[in-house]
Amino acid sequence: MAENKPHDSHDKAPEVRLFIPSTFIDLQPEREQLIKKIFPQIRALCRERGLDFTEIDLRWGITDEEARTGKIIRICLEEIDRCRPYFLGIIGSRYGWIPSTDVAEHDPKLFEEYPWLRPHIESGKSITDIEFSYGAILKKNIHSAVIYEQVVTRSDSDSGAIDHLRSRIEDAGVPQKIFRNPQELGEHVLADLWAMIERDWPAKREPTEAERERSPHEAFARNRTHSYIANPEYEERFSEFVNSADAPLVLWGKSGFGKSALMAHLSSHYHTHHHDAFIIRHFVGASSGASSMDDVMRHIMLEIKERYSIEDELPKSDLQSEFPQWLAKIPEGEKLILMIDAVNQLSGIGNEMHWLPEFIPSNVRLIISTTPELPLEQLRKRNWHFLEIQPLSPTQRKRITHEYLAHYHKHLSDEQLEIIGHEEKLDSPLFLRTLLEELRIFGYHVELGDHLADYLRSADEAELFQKVLARMERDYGTDTVQTIMTAIWASRFGLSETELLGITQISRFALSEFLIALEFHLMRRAGQFTFFHNYLREAVERRYVSDDIQKKSLHQKLANYFANEDYSERRLIEEPYQWESAQDWERYKSCLCDIEFITPLIHDDRRHELLALWKVYREHFDLSQTYHDAITEYEKTCTDEKKLANLYCLLGSALVSASLYDEAGKMLETSLQMATKVFDADDLFIAEVSDQLATCYYYRGKYAEAEEYYRKAISIRTKILGENDPLTAKSLNNLGIIFYSLGKYSESGQAYEKAIASYRNHYGGKDHAEIASILNNLGTVFYVEKKYEDAIDAYEKSIEMYERLYGKNYPGRLSPIGNIALSYQSKKEYTNAEKKYTEAIVLSQSIYGDKHRDIAVRFSNLAVLHSRFMGKHDEALTAYKEAITIFESLLEENHIDTVSTYINFALAQIRAGNWETGESIYKTYEPLEKSILGESHSRVITHRDTFNELQKK
């Protein structure tokens, strides 16, 4: 196919344009069928193949002025050329409007450019006949044109002209088909048009894994940049940021303000004009595997792996700990532009942003977009840059309107454009784009002004979407719209087509045409359809789900559907949520105490999901007792002892994570007893259970028992895996922690050094974050042994390794820097200690911003040094005030951290000679500290003793 070539561009896709000529007055239902139900299906199929599909339907796209001046003919012919070779003609009961012979007076070059046109007009051909001639008959377009004729009764005047047109079509060999109703026409068009696309745009080779991941994000970007009008200010700011080494940039703004379109445009624009960077863009919700924090991290790591031919395998679990190391793999001299859009839509706890590293390498230019919700609150705690997206200006509104409608060769009058330019509510790109989409599919040109005025009477997006829902009801039926939309509303993360079919009980065809037609308003996330923006969700709730009884009923309906399905990931995600939303706590308990049901969640990589469910569960039931009863009951029916031992181990480990150590210990002990009967003594599973049991004993303060089981795990892992395996090294590190807790500092140091040696050998002498962490642990051993120089040496090695791995701003460096300061303080090298405490504060501020608990703690450490050891009382009071300000801004009233800092501040006031002020503050907060911690707590005793000593002085 010569007329439509693929474009090798980052932001453009090959476009299939289809011209649709027919008479204006009849065939209205047929046009509605194609525009609203058939072409959306074609568009969706094309998108899967990396194509854009655009239909050109001129039923209201030509203004009265254009018709009066004769421009209508040129417009039609030019559009046919732009759409070649695809042409879809429809013949109805009418022959159509016949232009007069004076058209050349308004367009003198018309006959010169189209010499065949003069005889057509002089012989009285209609505009529809002219279009058929140019698009299909003259060039004998037998492969990519098809004509459909309606079986109807015609007037004598039209019948003869149509018969003549039909015979010319037949002579040219252009395919013709008849249809009896709009539905039959739609079936013909869908089959014929897709056959042409299959022929001209065959599926490509099997894509790579990275290409499969990338494809939906590229398609999403193309969709969002359609008719996008660039704001030069944003382009300039983006260019400055990309060419700097600044902290990451967060684009934020109200929902509907075009953040996704802006992210898509900026990346595409930069790629077109620059070739100095590798661009990865992830649009949350763009595909079935793009909705969770793990989806984001895996996509990015996969792109990095392919781009730089990295041999390392992607981690199968615990992506969060590995993610910073993959960002650090970007070679020096390379630049990665990493764009993550709509983090507010991340599923689960992903929008809390804990998974995103605090430190981002300087050659990774990270840009994030979000609404003013939880992610923005979390990100503001970091010392990053923020840019608020501004509303559209009147000029932008008119330009967007013109370009969007012109893409479909539709136009508004100058007066209508001025109305849009002056309408302030259209400063929201979502409002404007939704309005334009509604206008685009509106079929009656003469009523367009009234239609526009009606939509503009909407006070805001909420009211606008009420009108959109009303229009959907007219097109698809109220029951269909309400049933589907409320089911999606009630879901946790959306519903798949299969689930929608089962829940709504509507027909497959009705569901398909509805979902495809709503592509502008829905997105597919993790295989499920959900609302692209909250305005539509709110509109659905307001229109169809007005009270709590209706809401609970909907949630119960979905809960019952999933409860009757086989065990699956979807059931796991939706059923507990639905019972919780319906406030049916007995059914909530029933599904969570189903051991088979929750088994996927008790593994490490899903543990956070289980803990979230348990948090709700514990508000209504005794978690320890019910799970003791549940697994005891399950044991009666399970004869696989290995499976039982594994379940006891996993559930016990999960209970450790929930801080229920007694019940966890019982389950882990049961697991070990079972395992010794069905596994060899040196089996790795025995080592795993021993390791988990040791951890449980550690948290219970039973260090001797913890030591015993860590030793057992190390013995088995060393024998089976070797002393250099990471699991062996991890257990050695844990053993070192136990020794430290027992005061066995020599043994602790030896365990840490063995762990370091194991990791070094495993990684071939290369740096690794685990080694840096254990070096910090080793430093604490030297510190308590008062080997301060050795401690400082270990801490400095830890800092240097973190720096080589992740750069100077890596958060892991904070702990050893603070430990060095403490070591200098103990050596009475107070000036060096002061420098290190200050360095830690500056680093912490560069990572977290000005307000973070870590910063407050470090100000407190510096204040202690100034007040107790250096006599810098003014500096001490200033540092304490900084700490108190941060604590009070972050923590609830009378939090122990704030209370204790006030007491230290009071003691510093007394040391500074401000006795009355210090005593007043101390007597205010000392009772609070005592009530929170108890009179016998070491901190309370230390503060009281210090106050008494200062009082004596």
Side-chain angles (χ1 to χ4, degrees):
M1 157 188 141
E3 293 86 345
N4 286 277
K5 298 290 186 183
H7 302 287
D8 183 15
S9 171
H10 192 70
D11 64 329
K12 297 291 185 182
E15 184 180 28
V16 176
R17 294 176 63 84
L18 176 69
F19 189 81
I20 311 156
S22 67
T23 52
F24 273 50
I25 297 177
D26 62 344
L27 299 170
Q28 188 63 42
E30 287 75 15
R31 288 176 178 276
E32 294 285 307
Q33 177 76 6
L34 296 181
I35 292 292
K36 294 182 179 179
K37 299 182 179 180
I38 301 304
F39 293 151
Q41 296 183 60
I42 293 293
R43 189 172 292 109
L45 290 169
C46 284
R47 187 177 297 112
E48 293 177 0
R49 193 149 296 190
L51 302 170
D52 281 343
F53 173 76
T54 304
E55 75 277 11
I56 302 301
D57 172 21
L58 297 175
R59 68 181 183 275
W60 66 260
I62 300 173
T63 66
D64 294 337
E65 173 67 14
E66 288 167 338
R68 186 170 61 255
T69 60
K71 291 181 180 179
I72 183 172
I73 297 178
R74 175 177 290 280
I75 291 170
C76 291
L77 299 182
E78 287 178 349
E79 274 299 339
I80 290 172
D81 281 329
R82 292 178 65 201
C83 291
R84 290 192 188 278
Y86 303 115
F87 184 92
L88 188 157
I90 310 174
I91 299 174
S93 61
R94 298 172 58 83
Y95 182 59
W97 170 65
I98 299 175
S100 64
T101 55
D102 62 356
V103 292
E105 297 177 9
H106 301 286
D107 190 350
K109 293 187 177 182
L110 186 63
F111 291 158
E112 178 183 335
E113 294 175 16
Y114 302 97
W116 57 270
L117 182 58
R118 183 187 294 274
H120 276 66
I121 290 180
E122 290 177 348
S123 62
K125 297 289 191 294
S126 70
I127 183 62
T128 303
D129 193 320
I130 291 171
E131 291 169 337
F132 280 32
S133 297
Y134 191 54
I137 299 172
L138 295 177
K139 293 189 176 182
K140 297 187 176 181
N141 186 0
I142 63 174
H143 299 298
S144 300
V146 61
I147 310 299
Y148 303 95
E149 184 177 355
Q150 184 183 34
V151 179
V152 291
T153 302
R154 303 184 177 95
S155 66
D156 292 339
S157 59
D158 282 342
S159 180
I162 291 175
D163 286 343
H164 182 63
L165 172 60
R166 185 193 305 114
S167 65
R168 289 167 49 230
I169 294 171
E170 291 174 353
D171 292 343
V174 177
Q176 297 184 73
K177 293 184 178 181
I178 62 171
F179 66 92
R180 295 170 180 79
N181 52 57
Q183 291 71 32
E184 188 174 356
L185 172 65
E187 293 170 3
H188 285 323
V189 171
L190 181 62
D192 295 340
L193 186 54
W194 186 243
M196 294 179 197
I197 295 170
E198 285 262 302
R199 176 198 68 205
D200 296 337
W201 304 94
K204 299 179 180 178
R205 59 165 175 79
E206 183 68 21
T208 66
E209 187 177 7
E211 287 173 337
R212 285 195 297 271
E213 286 278 353
R214 188 183 311 131
S215 178
H217 298 281
E218 298 300 303
F220 185 95
R222 289 193 297 270
N223 177 272
R224 288 299 175 266
T225 52
H226 177 55
S227 298
Y228 181 77
I229 306 299
N231 185 330
E233 178 184 346
Y234 296 143
E235 290 179 349
E236 182 178 351
R237 178 69 183 274
F238 179 78
S239 180
E240 290 175 355
F241 168 76
V242 168
N243 292 312
S244 72
D246 282 349
L249 176 65
V250 179
L251 302 176
W252 69 279
K254 288 173 56 180
S255 178
F257 265 35
K259 296 177 295 299
S260 296
L262 177 60
M263 292 280 277
H265 167 75
L266 291 175
S267 57
S268 300
H269 182 267
Y270 192 90
H271 177 83
T272 301
H273 295 89
H274 304 83
H275 302 283
D276 63 341
F278 173 40
I279 301 175
I280 301 175
R281 48 188 181 179
H282 186 102
F283 296 90
V284 175
S287 73
S288 59
S291 61
S292 72
M293 59 187 185
D294 283 350
D295 293 334
V296 177
M297 290 184 284
R298 186 179 183 280
H299 175 206
I300 293 168
M301 288 188 279
L302 191 61
E303 294 275 19
I304 292 172
K305 176 180 173 64
E306 180 178 90
R307 171 76 173 194
Y308 301 109
S309 302
I310 295 172
E311 295 182 358
D312 296 353
E313 292 299 320
L314 264 62
K316 293 182 173 57
S317 61
D318 195 20
L319 274 68
Q320 185 176 346
S321 64
E322 294 283 343
F323 187 49
Q325 299 178 45
W326 280 79
L327 292 181
K329 294 177 187 290
I330 308 302
E332 284 190 33
E334 291 278 342
K335 183 193 298 181
L336 167 62
I337 300 176
L338 176 55
M339 309 184 76
I340 307 174
D341 175 61
V343 294
N344 54 290
Q345 295 178 5
L346 284 169
S347 61
I349 61 173
N351 61 10
E352 295 178 6
M353 304 311 296
H354 61 85
W355 57 274
L356 189 65
E358 300 280 359
F359 169 73
I360 304 295
S362 60
N363 61 338
V364 176
R365 314 307 298 126
L366 172 63
I367 305 96
I368 294 173
S369 76
T370 181
T371 53
E373 297 174 313
L374 178 62
L376 184 63
E377 296 173 16
Q378 296 296 326
L379 292 170
R380 282 202 183 280
K381 298 175 183 178
R382 308 184 184 195
N383 191 25
W384 290 2
H385 299 286
F386 296 84
L387 176 62
E388 182 179 4
I389 306 304
Q390 300 298 320
L392 295 173
S393 68
T395 300
Q396 288 174 314
R397 295 198 287 269
K398 289 193 287 186
R399 288 178 60 197
I400 290 172
T401 299
H402 174 75
E403 294 196 14
Y404 183 84
L405 294 178
H407 185 75
Y408 300 95
H409 213 96
K410 299 179 185 297
H411 304 281
L412 296 179
S413 68
D414 291 342
E415 180 182 358
Q416 291 165 336
L417 277 175
E418 286 301 314
I419 291 173
I420 285 177
H422 287 88
E423 181 57 65
E424 291 186 2
K425 64 173 69 77
L426 296 179
D427 63 3
S428 161
L430 175 62
F431 197 120
L432 177 59
R433 181 75 185 272
T434 302
L435 170 69
L436 297 180
E437 180 68 10
E438 290 296 300
L439 294 179
R440 184 184 73 81
I441 63 175
F442 184 68
Y444 299 91
H445 182 213
V446 294
E447 300 175 11
L448 185 61
D450 294 337
H451 195 61
L452 172 61
D454 179 51
Y455 274 90
L456 289 180
R457 280 192 288 271
S458 305
D460 50 26
E461 285 89 349
E463 191 173 331
L464 173 67
F465 279 105
Q466 290 298 319
K467 296 182 183 295
V468 172
L469 288 173
R471 192 269 302 166
M472 291 179 188
E473 291 171 2
R474 293 192 296 271
D475 289 343
Y476 303 100
T478 300
D479 288 344
T480 296
V481 176
Q482 180 172 349
T483 303
I484 294 175
M485 299 299 260
T486 54
I488 294 174
W489 174 90
S491 65
R492 186 181 183 190
F493 296 133
L495 296 170
S496 71
E497 293 183 63
T498 301
E499 291 161 357
L500 280 167
L501 285 169
I503 293 166
T504 65
Q505 295 296 301
I506 69 171
S507 71
R508 169 78 256 187
F509 179 79
L511 177 65
S512 295
E513 69 174 359
F514 183 75
L515 291 179
I516 293 172
L518 257 69
E519 65 169 351
F520 178 76
H521 299 296
L522 297 180
M523 70 175 177
R524 210 165 189 170
R525 173 193 288 169
Q528 288 79 51
F529 286 97
T530 188
F531 302 117
F532 186 75
H533 39 76
N534 283 331
Y535 290 116
L536 182 55
R537 176 182 297 279
E538 292 165 1
V540 169
E541 181 173 345
R542 176 180 167 189
R543 193 175 186 87
Y544 306 122
V545 196
S546 58
D547 59 50
D548 289 341
I549 295 176
Q550 288 178 305
K551 292 175 183 178
K552 289 180 181 179
S553 176
L554 276 168
H555 288 301
Q556 287 175 330
K557 181 179 180 180
L558 266 67
N560 281 312
Y561 169 82
F562 284 105
N564 289 310
E565 294 293 294
D566 293 335
Y567 292 123
S568 66
E569 179 67 14
R570 287 292 299 138
R571 179 181 171 186
L572 188 65
I573 289 173
E574 288 286 347
E575 187 186 349
Y577 169 81
Q578 297 301 336
W579 293 129
E580 177 188 349
S581 300
Q583 298 182 19
D584 190 332
W585 301 116
E586 287 301 322
R587 294 297 299 272
Y588 186 74
K589 176 181 179 180
S590 178
C591 74
L592 282 191
C593 287
D594 184 336
I595 298 299
E596 288 280 6
F597 179 74
I598 67 158
T599 293
L601 296 185
I602 57 182
H603 294 273
D604 288 343
D605 58 340
R606 303 287 298 277
R607 189 72 50 79
H608 63 278
E609 298 177 52
L610 181 61
L611 293 177
L613 294 172
W614 279 357
K615 180 181 179 182
V616 176
Y617 189 94
R618 293 168 80 169
E619 296 174 2
H620 303 276
F621 307 103
D622 183 333
L623 186 64
S624 294
Q625 186 60 48
T626 53
Y627 273 92
H628 171 82
D629 296 341
I631 197 167
T632 301
E633 190 66 26
Y634 181 79
E635 189 176 347
K636 295 177 181 178
T637 59
C638 181
T639 59
D640 187 337
E641 292 185 322
K642 288 186 177 181
K643 179 180 180 180
L644 271 176
N646 187 50
L647 281 172
Y648 268 108
C649 177
L650 290 169
L651 192 53
S653 175
L655 289 169
V656 169
S657 300
S659 301
L660 297 172
Y661 303 122
D662 289 343
E663 186 61 35
K666 294 174 186 177
M667 289 195 178
L668 290 167
E669 287 164 358
T670 301
S671 175
L672 189 58
Q673 291 170 6
M674 290 181 171
T676 55
K677 297 178 182 178
V678 294
F679 291 97
D680 294 335
D682 291 334
D683 194 275
L684 287 173
F685 180 73
I686 302 288
E688 174 63 21
V689 181
S690 299
D691 194 87
Q692 295 289 344
L693 190 54
T695 301
C696 184
Y697 279 131
Y698 168 74
Y699 285 122
R700 296 168 73 181
K702 296 184 175 183
Y703 300 131
E705 291 88 342
E707 176 186 349
E708 174 189 350
Y709 284 106
Y710 275 135
R711 285 187 181 277
K712 186 172 186 176
I714 291 168
S715 175
I716 295 173
R717 286 171 172 168
T718 301
K719 183 176 181 179
I720 303 298
L721 303 174
E723 61 183 10
N724 296 328
D725 187 84
L727 285 176
T728 306
K730 181 180 178 181
S731 294
L732 281 166
N733 180 46
N734 290 337
L735 184 61
I737 295 172
I738 295 298
F739 284 142
Y740 185 89
S741 302
L742 288 167
K744 298 179 179 181
Y745 302 124
S746 177
E747 291 94 327
S748 177
Q750 292 172 11
Y752 287 143
E753 287 173 341
K754 285 183 179 179
I756 290 170
S758 294
Y759 276 120
R760 286 193 187 281
N761 290 332
H762 178 77
Y763 292 110
K766 296 179 180 179
D767 293 339
H768 193 276
E770 290 286 356
I771 300 174
S773 176
I774 301 173
L775 281 168
N776 188 40
N777 292 344
L778 182 61
T780 62
V781 173
F782 291 138
Y783 175 81
V784 297
E785 292 179 330
K786 299 185 178 180
K787 299 177 180 179
Y788 301 126
E789 291 298 334
D790 291 338
I792 291 172
D793 180 63
Y795 293 142
E796 286 181 341
K797 287 179 179 177
S798 173
I799 293 168
E800 291 166 1
M801 188 172 295
Y802 277 134
E803 184 175 332
R804 288 194 297 271
L805 285 169
Y806 306 125
K808 290 185 177 181
N809 289 330
Y810 182 63
R813 298 174 70 245
L814 284 167
S815 177
I817 289 173
N819 288 335
I820 289 178
L822 189 60
S823 299
Y824 279 131
Q825 182 175 303
S826 298
K827 289 179 66 180
K828 299 183 180 180
E829 295 182 15
Y830 300 130
T831 301
N832 287 334
E834 183 181 36
K835 290 179 180 177
K836 284 297 177 182
Y837 279 134
T838 303
E839 181 184 347
I841 290 172
V842 172
L843 175 57
S844 192
Q845 288 174 327
S846 72
I847 295 169
Y848 301 119
D850 292 331
K851 292 185 178 181
H852 190 276
R853 185 182 181 280
D854 183 86
I855 301 170
V857 170
R858 297 185 189 285
F859 268 118
S860 296
N861 293 338
L862 180 62
V864 169
L865 176 68
H866 283 156
S867 178
R868 294 179 60 187
F869 302 107
M870 300 184 73
K872 293 185 175 183
H873 300 300
D874 290 342
E875 290 88 337
L877 295 177
T878 299
Y880 274 129
K881 287 178 182 177
E882 291 282 358
I884 288 169
T885 299
I886 295 171
F887 278 138
E888 287 184 331
S889 69
L890 297 177
L891 305 176
E892 60 188 18
E893 187 178 4
N894 295 335
H895 189 280
I896 186 57
D897 287 344
T898 308
V899 171
S900 294
T901 306
Y902 263 114
I903 291 176
N904 285 327
F905 177 58
L907 298 174
Q909 288 279 11
I910 294 172
R911 292 192 189 97
N914 305 321
W915 175 260
E916 291 184 3
T917 301
E919 182 182 31
S920 174
I921 296 172
Y922 179 82
K923 289 184 176 180
T924 299
Y925 288 96
E926 188 267 347
L928 286 172
E929 185 181 58
K930 189 185 300 182
S931 68
I932 297 170
L933 298 178
E935 291 190 20
S936 60
H937 194 279
S938 60
R939 190 186 303 180
V940 175
I941 295 171
T942 298
H943 287 157
R944 184 175 62 240
D945 290 347
T946 302
F947 178 75
N948 290 335
E949 289 176 11
L950 291 171
Q951 194 175 33
K952 292 175 184 178
K953 295 179 180 180

